[in-house]
Amino acid sequence: MKKTIYILLLAIVQLAVTTSCSNDDERYIYVKPADVNRNVLIEDFTGQRCLNCPNASAQIDSLIAQYGHDAIIAVSIHSGPLGFKGSAKLTGLATSLGDTYYNHWNCDHQPIGLVNRAGGLQDYPAWPALVRQALSLKSTIEMEATVSYNDTTHEASIKVNMLGTNGTTRGKLQLWVIEDSITAMQVMPDGKPKPDYVHKHVLRAAVNGDWGQDVIIDEGVESTATAHYTVDKAWDPKHLWIVAFVYNNDGVVQVIKSHF
């Protein structure tokens, strides 16, 4: 009887040890981050003196209505020979930054654009098919951005969190300021200027350099980037956004935007 009790106690002790070790092992099992849908960045090279540019803008509106403003993030880059930098009476939206991008991508007409920087420059009728294809892909990173703005100092503080979801992603993090709802002249398809045209998602500035900053994002590891920017007093902070995206030689890995 004593022998039986001893054997039973020994079995219970062994079971407890085995169970405890098993729980310890489970505690350290690596859980792969969930897949993340890839958003789409449309870089629309446009100009206030461009007859067909309102048609490209309408195409963007249609895509945003179809897929949502979080999935489709557009940036209107006023630039090139049809861009307008303003006069004493009229507001211009073209910038030297826009011209830098226009020349880098070898644009030769407007409107024309890039969809996640894959497949090269394309005219706006081709954008819907490229958007559908881009949305079918998964991203290798998850991104989140927050912006705080001080009305007194006009300082914006930007924080971007990035989490690797699949392997190691190497590229550059780009931060842009864009502004919505700017009323300014635009030449329409009929050739007539419309003085009260409402321009959307207009590129205003690059926060962290024209081409961004180097980043390496490992799977399962969260990294954070911060930046500060002094906003031009002529811009309306109620209509300002930060567009944050990571890109490399394969195109845009992920893109998000955050309101001021």
Side-chain angles (χ1 to χ4, degrees), residues 42-56:
I42 300 177
E43 295 168 83
D44 173 23
F45 291 95
T46 188
Q48 289 170 266
R49 295 180 292 202
C50 169
L51 295 176
N52 288 319
C53 285
N55 294 331

Side-chain angles (χ1 to χ4, degrees), residues 92-191:
L93 301 176
T95 63
S96 58
L97 176 65
D99 288 338
T100 295
Y101 297 140
Y102 182 93
N103 294 326
H104 172 80
W105 295 109
N106 295 318
C107 300
D108 59 4
H109 66 277
Q110 292 162 292
I112 197 167
L114 296 164
V115 177
N116 268 359
R117 295 190 176 178
L121 291 165
Q122 299 287 340
D123 291 326
Y124 69 89
W127 294 353
L130 294 172
V131 165
R132 285 194 298 272
Q133 181 181 3
L135 287 172
S136 70
L137 303 175
K138 298 296 183 181
S139 179
T140 57
I141 59 174
E142 183 177 355
M143 297 179 68
E144 179 183 73
T146 56
V147 185
S148 60
Y149 179 71
N150 187 312
D151 283 316
T152 303
T153 64
H154 305 285
E155 288 285 334
S157 297
I158 304 146
K159 181 179 180 181
V160 181
N161 293 324
M162 298 165 285
L163 173 69
T165 60
N166 189 6
T168 296
T169 300
R170 291 178 170 82
K172 287 184 176 291
L173 169 67
Q174 180 76 72
L175 302 175
W176 282 343
V177 179
I178 64 171
E179 185 176 0
D180 268 325
S181 304
I182 302 173
T183 300
M185 182 276 297
Q186 173 66 51
V187 177
M188 302 303 290
D190 62 5

Side-chain angles (χ1 to χ4, degrees), residues 140-141 164 166-171 215-219 246 248 253:
T140 57
I141 59 174
N166 189 6
T168 296
T169 300
R170 291 178 170 82
V215 289
I216 300 176
I217 307 161
D218 293 320
E219 181 181 313
V246 172
N248 54 30
V253 180

Side-chain angles (χ1 to χ4, degrees), residues 198-218:
V198 179
H199 296 266
K200 302 175 183 177
H201 33 74
V202 174
L203 176 65
R204 284 302 201 181
V207 173
N208 58 342
D210 292 359
W211 302 103
Q213 64 197 70
D214 293 330
V215 289
I216 300 176
I217 307 161
D218 293 320

Side-chain angles (χ1 to χ4, degrees), residues 8 15 24 40-41 60 63 66 77 80 90 121 157 176-178 184 187 197 202 214 228 231 234 239 243 254:
L8 181 59
L15 178 60
D24 286 343
V40 179
L41 173 66
I60 290 173
L63 290 167
Q66 182 175 359
I77 304 175
L90 297 175
L121 291 165
S157 297
W176 282 343
V177 179
I178 64 171
V187 177
Y197 184 87
V202 174
D214 293 330
H228 300 276
V231 174
H239 298 301
V243 171
Q254 186 61 299

Side-chain angles (χ1 to χ4, degrees), residues 22 28 67 69 97 117 121 158 187 190 225 235 240 249:
S22 175
Y28 295 104
Y67 298 109
H69 63 82
L97 176 65
R117 295 190 176 178
L121 291 165
I158 304 146
V187 177
D190 62 5
W235 305 344
L240 293 179
N249 290 336

